[in-house]
PDB file of all heavy atoms in Angstrom:
ATOM      1  N   LEU A 121     102.614 123.063 119.170  1.00  0.00           N
ATOM      2  CA  LEU A 121     102.929 121.775 118.873  1.00  0.00           C
ATOM      3  C   LEU A 121     102.874 121.565 117.379  1.00  0.00           C
ATOM      4  O   LEU A 121     102.023 122.199 116.655  1.00  0.00           O
ATOM      5  CB  LEU A 121     101.902 120.700 119.422  1.00  0.00           C
ATOM      6  CG  LEU A 121     101.784 120.622 120.892  1.00  0.00           C
ATOM      7  CD1 LEU A 121     100.811 119.512 121.280  1.00  0.00           C
ATOM      8  CD2 LEU A 121     103.056 120.461 121.587  1.00  0.00           C
ATOM      9  N   SER A 122     103.854 120.838 116.760  1.00  0.00           N
ATOM     10  CA  SER A 122     103.771 120.669 115.266  1.00  0.00           C
ATOM     11  C   SER A 122     103.631 119.174 114.983  1.00  0.00           C
ATOM     12  O   SER A 122     104.347 118.372 115.523  1.00  0.00           O
ATOM     13  CB  SER A 122     105.036 121.126 114.669  1.00  0.00           C
ATOM     14  OG  SER A 122     105.143 120.753 113.308  1.00  0.00           O
ATOM     15  N   VAL A 123     102.690 118.840 114.121  1.00  0.00           N
ATOM     16  CA  VAL A 123     102.506 117.489 113.700  1.00  0.00           C
ATOM     17  C   VAL A 123     103.144 117.381 112.267  1.00  0.00           C
ATOM     18  O   VAL A 123     102.646 118.036 111.338  1.00  0.00           O
ATOM     19  CB  VAL A 123     100.978 117.011 113.573  1.00  0.00           C
ATOM     20  CG1 VAL A 123     100.860 115.540 113.194  1.00  0.00           C
ATOM     21  CG2 VAL A 123     100.310 117.409 114.879  1.00  0.00           C
ATOM     22  N   ALA A 124     104.260 116.726 112.219  1.00  0.00           N
ATOM     23  CA  ALA A 124     105.070 116.646 111.062  1.00  0.00           C
ATOM     24  C   ALA A 124     104.397 115.643 110.097  1.00  0.00           C
ATOM     25  O   ALA A 124     103.928 114.522 110.460  1.00  0.00           O
ATOM     26  CB  ALA A 124     106.481 116.166 111.365  1.00  0.00           C
ATOM     27  N   HIS A 125     104.396 115.955 108.768  1.00  0.00           N
ATOM     28  CA  HIS A 125     103.812 115.126 107.710  1.00  0.00           C
ATOM     29  C   HIS A 125     104.771 114.890 106.576  1.00  0.00           C
ATOM     30  O   HIS A 125     105.757 115.631 106.389  1.00  0.00           O
ATOM     31  CB  HIS A 125     102.550 115.778 107.208  1.00  0.00           C
ATOM     32  CG  HIS A 125     101.298 115.613 108.083  1.00  0.00           C
ATOM     33  ND1 HIS A 125     101.260 116.456 109.208  1.00  0.00           N
ATOM     34  CD2 HIS A 125     100.272 114.860 108.058  1.00  0.00           C
ATOM     35  CE1 HIS A 125     100.063 116.158 109.839  1.00  0.00           C
ATOM     36  NE2 HIS A 125      99.476 115.166 109.169  1.00  0.00           N
ATOM     37  N   LEU A 126     104.499 113.807 105.902  1.00  0.00           N
ATOM     38  CA  LEU A 126     105.272 113.457 104.699  1.00  0.00           C
ATOM     39  C   LEU A 126     104.316 113.418 103.567  1.00  0.00           C
ATOM     40  O   LEU A 126     103.241 112.767 103.618  1.00  0.00           O
ATOM     41  CB  LEU A 126     105.921 112.083 104.891  1.00  0.00           C
ATOM     42  CG  LEU A 126     106.347 111.356 103.570  1.00  0.00           C
ATOM     43  CD1 LEU A 126     107.550 112.087 102.882  1.00  0.00           C
ATOM     44  CD2 LEU A 126     106.754 109.883 103.939  1.00  0.00           C
ATOM     45  N   ALA A 127     104.690 114.079 102.408  1.00  0.00           N
ATOM     46  CA  ALA A 127     103.932 113.913 101.156  1.00  0.00           C
ATOM     47  C   ALA A 127     104.955 113.775 100.020  1.00  0.00           C
ATOM     48  O   ALA A 127     106.153 114.055 100.171  1.00  0.00           O
ATOM     49  CB  ALA A 127     103.092 115.203 100.909  1.00  0.00           C
ATOM     50  N   ALA A 128     104.527 113.112  98.940  1.00  0.00           N
ATOM     51  CA  ALA A 128     105.384 112.941  97.756  1.00  0.00           C
ATOM     52  C   ALA A 128     104.635 113.340  96.543  1.00  0.00           C
ATOM     53  O   ALA A 128     103.441 113.065  96.335  1.00  0.00           O
ATOM     54  CB  ALA A 128     105.847 111.508  97.705  1.00  0.00           C
ATOM     55  N   LEU A 129     105.354 114.070  95.677  1.00  0.00           N
ATOM     56  CA  LEU A 129     104.792 114.513  94.458  1.00  0.00           C
ATOM     57  C   LEU A 129     105.695 114.328  93.296  1.00  0.00           C
ATOM     58  O   LEU A 129     106.918 114.530  93.432  1.00  0.00           O
ATOM     59  CB  LEU A 129     104.474 116.068  94.509  1.00  0.00           C
ATOM     60  CG  LEU A 129     103.168 116.473  95.133  1.00  0.00           C
ATOM     61  CD1 LEU A 129     102.994 117.980  95.208  1.00  0.00           C
ATOM     62  CD2 LEU A 129     101.988 115.834  94.378  1.00  0.00           C
ATOM     63  N   PRO A 130     105.186 113.967  92.049  1.00  0.00           N
ATOM     64  CA  PRO A 130     106.069 113.919  90.877  1.00  0.00           C
ATOM     65  C   PRO A 130     106.662 115.261  90.577  1.00  0.00           C
ATOM     66  O   PRO A 130     105.953 116.330  90.869  1.00  0.00           O
ATOM     67  CB  PRO A 130     105.025 113.472  89.756  1.00  0.00           C
ATOM     68  CG  PRO A 130     103.909 112.882  90.456  1.00  0.00           C
ATOM     69  CD  PRO A 130     103.819 113.541  91.777  1.00  0.00           C
ATOM     70  N   HIS A 131     107.842 115.240  90.090  1.00  0.00           N
ATOM     71  CA  HIS A 131     108.557 116.503  89.783  1.00  0.00           C
ATOM     72  C   HIS A 131     107.726 117.383  88.815  1.00  0.00           C
ATOM     73  O   HIS A 131     107.655 118.624  88.967  1.00  0.00           O
ATOM     74  CB  HIS A 131     109.911 116.218  89.225  1.00  0.00           C
ATOM     75  CG  HIS A 131     110.824 117.362  89.144  1.00  0.00           C
ATOM     76  ND1 HIS A 131     111.389 117.857  88.088  1.00  0.00           N
ATOM     77  CD2 HIS A 131     111.230 118.234  90.089  1.00  0.00           C
ATOM     78  CE1 HIS A 131     112.165 118.917  88.210  1.00  0.00           C
ATOM     79  NE2 HIS A 131     112.063 119.184  89.507  1.00  0.00           N
ATOM     80  N   THR A 132     107.070 116.716  87.917  1.00  0.00           N
ATOM     81  CA  THR A 132     106.293 117.444  86.909  1.00  0.00           C
ATOM     82  C   THR A 132     105.158 118.235  87.559  1.00  0.00           C
ATOM     83  O   THR A 132     104.781 119.298  87.070  1.00  0.00           O
ATOM     84  CB  THR A 132     105.721 116.515  85.841  1.00  0.00           C
ATOM     85  OG1 THR A 132     105.020 115.407  86.583  1.00  0.00           O
ATOM     86  CG2 THR A 132     106.827 115.924  84.957  1.00  0.00           C
ATOM     87  N   ASP A 133     104.619 117.667  88.678  1.00  0.00           N
ATOM     88  CA  ASP A 133     103.486 118.376  89.307  1.00  0.00           C
ATOM     89  C   ASP A 133     103.923 119.715  89.933  1.00  0.00           C
ATOM     90  O   ASP A 133     103.127 120.536  90.261  1.00  0.00           O
ATOM     91  CB  ASP A 133     102.845 117.495  90.361  1.00  0.00           C
ATOM     92  CG  ASP A 133     102.023 116.364  89.728  1.00  0.00           C
ATOM     93  OD1 ASP A 133     102.008 116.251  88.449  1.00  0.00           O
ATOM     94  OD2 ASP A 133     101.376 115.566  90.349  1.00  0.00           O
TER      95      ASP A 133
END
Side-chain angles (χ1 to χ4, degrees):
Chain A
L121 300 185
S122 171
V123 186
H125 283 76
L126 159 68
L129 274 177
H131 192 237
T132 51
D133 287 5

